[in-house]
Amino acid sequence: MIDVSVSDSPVAISLNFDSLNEAYGFPQSFTDPSFEKGFDRIARICANHNFPLSIYVIGKDLLNPARASAVKEWASQGHEIGNHSWSHHFNLGNLSCSELKDEVTRSHDLISEVTGEEPKGFISPCWSTSGRLIEILSDLRYLYDSSAFPSLLMYPMVAKVALNHWRNPSKGIRALLRKDWLGPLKFPNQPFFMDSRMRVHSDNADGRLLILPLPAKNRISPAIWHTLGFIFGWDLVKRNVRKLSATREGFYYLIHPADFLEKNDLDESMPMALARMDLPLSEKLSALDQMFSLIKDSGRPVRTMKDVAKSITSS
């Protein structure tokens, strides 16, 4: 049995909506199936488990009316819509003050216009964070940020992201130009509060933002998100999901569109760097369903990331 206070606290499914549109470099007149049949696949699995999603969208995607309409519909269905920056720079936290503010606020404003509600959650591309980012999010009255990577696995992860983009080296190099290289050595693996000087606190005084770190048992163990199953095997991920979803306050399970897209969704006339596109779609959807079943087995309520954050800040 787990502690009553933890068993009653919610967990969440977090979807970083790294779209095909972004992967192709935001081409004009591109119809992105990740917003249509791709999302329908994950929505069906979530409906079967009665799980809402917390979906972090790239603001630039919403310039297209069809994509904006889809996101508006997701919000009306009870999914949380969060901010994943304007143009998905891998070194977001290391941008200048003006560039960083523009990346956050442009996306914030357009999401608010599309959904009729200001986003309250943020996740930085490639988990690239900084004190400047925390300050901007605090000024916009965000409830939480989930850009902390509290595991040494961050270092090979960043290297892999850079290598994956060898066809577009300027994009891949951005992953190496981050500001928070010491993050895995100092970020707690439990929810915490952070100020604009990236100091860690246990309370939410003015100017401090709740940080929901990527779930990990400790800094030398792997941080857990769905991608790891394709790299290290599902047994490792399942063991950690069972343990963390049953015991960890602030637990969430992170997925990406690449987890429910297939090769037939791609436009082969344009190069892109999304991984695992050659895997059978049935295998991908089965893996998602199995993981969601494990999370349901924890007995904890599955809500949005916003609900998770509220449960922590109100306790």
Side-chain angles (χ1 to χ4, degrees):
M1 296 294 291
I2 63 176
D3 182 82
V4 172
S5 62
V6 175
S7 66
D8 289 342
S9 65
V11 297
I13 308 297
S14 171
L15 170 55
N16 280 14
F17 211 87
D18 297 350
S19 63
L20 286 176
N21 187 51
E22 186 279 330
Y24 288 134
F26 303 102
Q28 292 185 353
S29 303
F30 173 62
T31 300
D32 190 341
S34 58
F35 283 85
E36 299 169 345
K37 59 183 179 181
F39 184 80
D40 288 345
R41 295 165 187 155
I42 188 63
R44 283 193 293 271
I45 297 174
C46 287
N48 288 340
H49 291 277
N50 197 27
F51 287 0
L53 286 167
S54 293
I55 309 165
Y56 303 86
V57 297
I58 299 167
K60 199 169 182 178
D61 278 334
L62 304 189
L63 292 175
N64 179 286
R67 296 180 205 126
S69 178
V71 171
K72 182 179 181 179
E73 178 63 20
W74 302 346
S76 72
Q77 294 170 358
H79 301 298
E80 176 188 359
I81 307 301
N83 189 345
H84 197 30
S85 81
W86 178 256
S87 48
H88 203 259
H89 291 316
F90 288 150
N91 63 330
L92 185 78
N94 201 26
L95 299 180
S96 68
C97 288
S98 60
E99 289 175 312
L100 181 53
K101 187 172 183 179
D102 185 66
E103 280 285 321
V104 175
T105 57
R106 286 182 75 187
S107 184
H108 177 92
D109 291 344
L110 189 49
I111 291 170
S112 302
E113 179 183 331
V114 167
T115 67
E117 183 177 354
E118 290 187 324
K120 292 299 180 183
F122 187 88
I123 172 75
S124 182
C126 210
W127 296 277
S128 173
T129 188
S130 66
R132 288 195 294 256
L133 176 60
I134 299 301
E135 183 175 18
I136 291 167
L137 295 175
S138 296
D139 288 345
L140 288 170
R141 304 186 69 82
Y142 272 67
L143 180 61
Y144 69 91
D145 168 69
S146 54
S147 306
F149 200 111
S151 163
L152 296 177
L153 182 65
M154 187 194 84
Y155 301 118
M157 181 277 297
V158 170
K160 185 177 187 301
V161 169
L163 289 172
N164 283 350
H165 291 83
W166 62 271
R167 290 182 177 179
N168 185 359
S170 62
K171 184 175 181 178
I173 288 172
R174 280 184 176 272
L176 305 175
L177 300 178
R178 58 194 303 131
K179 196 178 185 69
D180 59 341
W181 283 110
L182 296 181
L185 302 176
K186 68 178 184 179
F187 292 151
N189 63 353
Q190 302 271 9
F192 62 96
F193 295 89
M194 181 178 284
D195 63 27
S196 61
R197 296 177 66 180
M198 296 194 78
R199 295 177 298 194
V200 173
H201 302 272
S202 60
D203 61 86
N204 59 341
D206 287 347
R208 298 174 186 173
L209 184 65
L210 174 64
I211 308 298
L212 300 176
L214 194 63
K217 289 192 292 187
N218 52 59
R219 67 184 75 255
I220 62 172
S221 66
I224 298 301
W225 77 106
H226 195 68
T227 300
L228 285 199
F230 298 102
I231 300 173
F232 296 119
W234 294 109
D235 286 345
L236 179 146
V237 177
K238 287 178 179 179
R239 285 197 304 271
N240 281 272
V241 167
R242 286 191 187 99
K243 177 69 173 178
L244 296 173
S245 66
T247 61
R248 180 61 53 84
E249 184 179 33
F251 175 83
Y252 60 95
Y253 191 63
L254 176 64
I255 64 176
H256 292 82
D259 301 324
F260 48 82
L261 293 173
E262 63 172 337
K263 190 171 184 179
N264 288 338
D265 297 325
L266 304 181
D267 185 335
E268 295 185 356
S269 69
M270 295 186 287
M272 50 86 74
L274 284 183
R276 54 195 182 276
M277 286 295 101
D278 288 330
L279 293 176
L281 180 61
S282 59
E283 178 182 327
K284 290 185 174 184
L285 299 183
S286 175
L288 286 165
D289 188 61
Q290 290 181 49
M291 289 302 159
F292 288 8
S293 293
L294 286 181
I295 294 168
K296 180 181 285 186
D297 289 345
S298 74
R300 294 170 66 179
V302 180
R303 303 288 185 262
T304 65
M305 291 282 281
K306 185 163 58 175
D307 293 325
V308 171
K310 286 180 178 178
S311 75
I312 294 170
T313 56
S314 63
S315 60

